Amino acid sequence: MRILMVASEANPFAKTGGLADVASGLSKALAGLGHEVTLALPYYRKTIKPNLAGEPVGKLIIPVGEKRVEAEIRSTTLPGSQVRVLLIDQPSYFDRAGLYLEKGHDYADNAERFSFFSRAVLEAARFLDLQPDIVHANDWQTGLIPALLASEYRLQPWFQKTASVFTIHNMAFQGRFPWWDYKHSGLRWDLFNWRQLEYYGELNMLKAGIAMSEIVNTVSPTYAREICQPEFGYGLDPSLLARGDALCGILNGVDTTEWNPATDAALAQRYTLDTVKEGKAACKAALQREVGLPQKPDSMLLGVVSRLTDQKGLGLIAARAAELFRADIQFICLGAGELKYENWLQELKNQFPNKVASVVGFNEALAHRIEAGIDAFLMPSQFEPCGLNQMYSLAYGSPPIVSNVGGLADSVVDCTPESMGNRTGNGFKFTQYTSEAFLACVWKAVGVFQHDKPTWNRLIKNGMSRDWSWAHSAADYVRIYDSARSRVR
Ligand code: ADP
Ligand code: GLC
């Protein structure tokens, strides 16, 4: 199959969150299954390293409303794979400090930027004669693509048999813009209606992808069910329900070329299931040293690597910090995001200098060392479409402590006598979203860690021995690609 994957970020080109890991990990896995995969991204000149920028292969003129805007197409490959990468270059849109925002404010012309990008990708596919069987668009930044395909491009011979799949990575980000921004899309005005691209008088790009794609999916089966309810649907639950069996959930995988403790170059010591005890002890000591925590092998070291935003449930940790850090617990948090949480971390560090370490910023290598060096990972998210860090933690032998939502519910199996008996238990989960339930869940984990090493070691083993790679999920994507294609034949 010829697959055109389109995303607004991908590793190692540009990354703000899990979408980047998925865009590259899934593309690689699909190429590994023998499919011809092209991945299209904006060319963020300030972010993408020169050695990854490829070569120009052509220039196109893209209509953006009444303007005509040049797009230079650059071509390269995804490192370590057969995946071709197209970078869409237009400095006035993408030569900026951020991908979507700067200093906490979204770029005012985001609708125009991603309208341009969406059309430019389809024009590039025609120019390069890619003839994709599938265009796989991700999140609101590419939500117009299924609409462009269904209403314009499929009328052309290059795209007659092209089906679209749209993946939702987060309902909280919808790409909502005033109606007058719709003109940048160049789409027919009759599509601007409440069933398709309009949402209470505004343009909604996520809704466009949901309504106009052949198949829509999200990144875990539980989140696929949750978002059909008002509590998680962020206003689009009716649009999702309307898709019926064209909506499904596929759990993300782990890119094991990047996240594997046996080969991870960032670690002080690499390890496998057989050497996890010594390996993790060495990584823990090195991490404590690196972040300035006392080198106590027996203190339970909890960790977080996260965007600092309400979604990730940091409020629960904040609410119970005073009680938590009275116990023999250490905490390391790596994150960047909202100022209120950056300030909170600073205060926490001042309050518990021997127990808490925090690093504000984006640091890929440290993220790996944290996954390896901690004893347990905290991820008490309010909602979590999939979540990758809990799976990285499982693969690195650091049992996750999570809320029972979305992809956390689908990947973490709570430690109970039953789940330890059938060897599926791999972490700790709480269901009621309260700080009491969260704290009780952490105490349970602390209790097992301190007093029941055989169970703790079993949790590590259960987590590490399951296959978290993309193998299963990539095959599931191929199935929904087939089903999308059958809808346009
Ligand atoms: P989300 O996409 O909602 O942020 P995920 O768990 O799916 O959550 O993915 C987050 C990705 O971003 C992971 O690869 C994680 O390691 C990475 N990440 C998040 N914050 C940081 C940071 N401050 N430094 C390095 N990596 C980070
Ligand atoms: C989003 C979600 C996260 C998911 C990631 C990749 O950022 O918040 O849960 O893992 O996308 O799909």
Side-chain angles (χ1 to χ4, degrees):
M1 220 183 294
R2 283 187 296 268
I3 300 158
L4 174 56
M5 180 77 69
V6 194
S8 56
E9 51 185 87
N11 257 345
F13 297 90
K15 169 167 172 175
T16 67
L19 170 62
D21 300 26
V22 173
S24 55
L26 175 57
S27 296
K28 278 190 220 171
L30 290 165
L33 292 175
H35 301 288
E36 197 180 311
V37 186
T38 304
L39 168 64
L41 303 168
Y43 179 40
Y44 303 105
R45 288 189 176 209
K46 290 202 164 49
T47 312
I48 295 178
K49 296 198 181 84
N51 63 328
L52 293 171
E55 299 297 327
V57 290
K59 275 188 186 157
L60 303 170
I61 299 295
I62 310 299
V64 182
E66 278 162 12
K67 294 189 213 168
R68 296 288 171 271
V69 183
E70 190 177 275
E72 183 162 60
I73 315 300
R74 306 180 71 90
S75 175
T76 182
T77 47
L78 187 60
S81 78
Q82 302 279 336
V83 176
R84 181 179 193 184
V85 177
L86 301 179
L87 300 171
I88 310 291
D89 186 20
Q90 172 39 254
S92 71
Y93 293 138
F94 300 121
D95 188 7
R96 300 188 185 179
L99 270 49
Y100 320 118
L101 58 124
E102 234 170 273
K103 299 193 180 96
H105 296 288
D106 287 347
Y107 291 125
D109 59 350
N110 271 346
E112 183 176 335
R113 297 170 78 219
F114 288 101
S115 296
F116 161 82
F117 174 64
S118 298
R119 195 177 277 279
V121 168
L122 293 176
E123 290 294 330
R126 176 166 57 184
F127 172 72
L128 298 169
D129 199 24
L130 296 184
Q131 302 204 21
D133 300 301
I134 286 289
V135 177
H136 183 163
N138 294 273
D139 273 355
W140 70 263
Q141 292 87 347
T142 61
L144 293 179
I145 288 181
L148 287 164
L149 199 58
S151 68
E152 292 181 29
Y153 283 79
R154 201 169 292 129
L155 306 175
Q156 305 175 4
W158 295 274
F159 297 98
Q160 249 168 19
K161 293 205 173 126
T162 306
S164 64
V165 166
F166 182 65
T167 300
I168 301 165
H169 296 265
N170 198 328
M171 291 301 298
F173 301 106
Q174 298 191 357
R176 286 166 56 172
F177 302 101
W179 61 265
W180 53 84
D181 272 338
Y182 186 69
K183 65 174 183 292
H184 303 302
S185 73
L187 287 162
R188 301 191 321 252
W189 272 98
D190 65 292
L191 297 174
F192 194 73
N193 68 72
W194 69 273
R195 283 182 196 280
Q196 292 173 305
L197 275 72
E198 181 255 6
Y199 182 80
Y200 289 97
E202 293 184 330
L203 164 63
N204 186 318
M205 292 197 187
L206 193 77
K207 185 171 176 178
I210 293 171
M212 305 292 287
S213 53
E214 269 66 59
I215 296 280
V216 52
N217 83 298
T218 184
V219 287
S220 69
T222 295
Y223 194 59
R225 288 189 297 275
E226 289 171 343
I227 58 180
C228 291
Q229 300 156 23
E231 192 190 343
F232 292 97
Y234 281 82
L236 291 183
D237 36 303
S239 307
L240 290 157
L241 275 173
R243 293 304 316 260
D245 65 3
L247 168 69
C248 67
I250 299 178
L251 194 70
N252 288 331
V254 169
D255 180 348
T256 46
T257 60
E258 297 282 328
W259 292 93
N260 179 354
T263 54
D264 193 331
L267 307 189
Q269 189 168 319
R270 290 170 215 161
Y271 56 92
T272 62
L273 196 48
D274 293 332
T275 54
V276 60
K277 195 157 178 256
E278 313 84 73
K280 275 189 78 72
C283 289
K284 181 173 178 177
L287 178 64
Q288 287 169 323
R289 210 174 316 122
E290 177 175 0
V291 300
L293 287 170
Q295 291 205 25
K296 295 165 83 181
D298 296 328
S299 274
M300 187 173 181
L301 177 53
L302 303 178
V304 167
V305 177
S306 182
R307 287 184 292 120
L308 300 178
T309 171
D310 292 342
Q311 174 191 342
K312 301 295 177 178
L314 302 157
L316 293 189
I317 304 176
R320 296 301 179 150
E323 285 144 278
L324 275 175
F325 300 123
R326 237 179 277 134
D328 187 15
I329 284 177
Q330 296 182 337
F331 178 59
I332 161 75
C333 179
L334 166 64
E338 290 173 32
L339 199 58
K340 65 176 180 189
Y341 291 118
E342 297 190 355
N343 292 340
W344 164 68
L345 281 174
Q346 190 54 50
E347 282 163 29
L348 202 62
K349 208 154 75 166
N350 296 343
Q351 213 180 337
F352 302 99
N354 290 323
K355 300 245 167 125
V356 174
S358 68
V359 178
V360 169
F362 207 89
N363 185 336
E364 195 83 44
L366 180 58
H368 286 244
R369 289 195 284 274
I370 291 177
E371 291 291 3
I374 55 172
D375 293 302
F377 193 85
L378 289 182
M379 201 156 168
S381 306
Q382 291 175 354
F383 65 93
E384 197 59 74
C386 177
L388 294 167
N389 282 110
Q390 84 283 8
M391 294 197 276
Y392 301 154
S393 305
L394 288 160
Y396 279 64
S398 310
I401 301 172
V402 306
S403 49
N404 193 17
V405 291
L408 302 174
D410 293 338
S411 52
V412 179
V413 181
D414 191 29
C415 170
T416 61
E418 192 195 350
S419 72
M420 297 319 290
N422 64 24
R423 308 198 161 196
T424 55
N426 58 19
F428 299 87
K429 279 202 285 202
F430 63 99
T431 297
Q432 268 225 330
Y433 203 76
T434 61
S435 72
E436 288 77 24
F438 165 69
L439 190 66
C441 188
V442 178
W443 287 148
K444 179 172 154 188
V446 174
V448 176
F449 178 81
Q450 290 177 343
H451 306 297
D452 187 356
K453 281 288 181 238
T455 299
W456 191 263
N457 293 336
R458 190 75 238 171
L459 284 170
I460 291 178
K461 192 164 182 196
N462 292 346
M464 286 182 79
S465 45
R466 195 166 130 183
D467 177 8
W468 298 103
S469 78
W470 271 102
H472 301 289
S473 300
D476 287 344
Y477 273 101
V478 172
R479 272 192 281 280
I480 65 170
Y481 293 161
D482 283 333
S483 139
R485 289 173 76 191
S486 70
R487 288 172 189 243
V488 296
R489 269 184 207 127

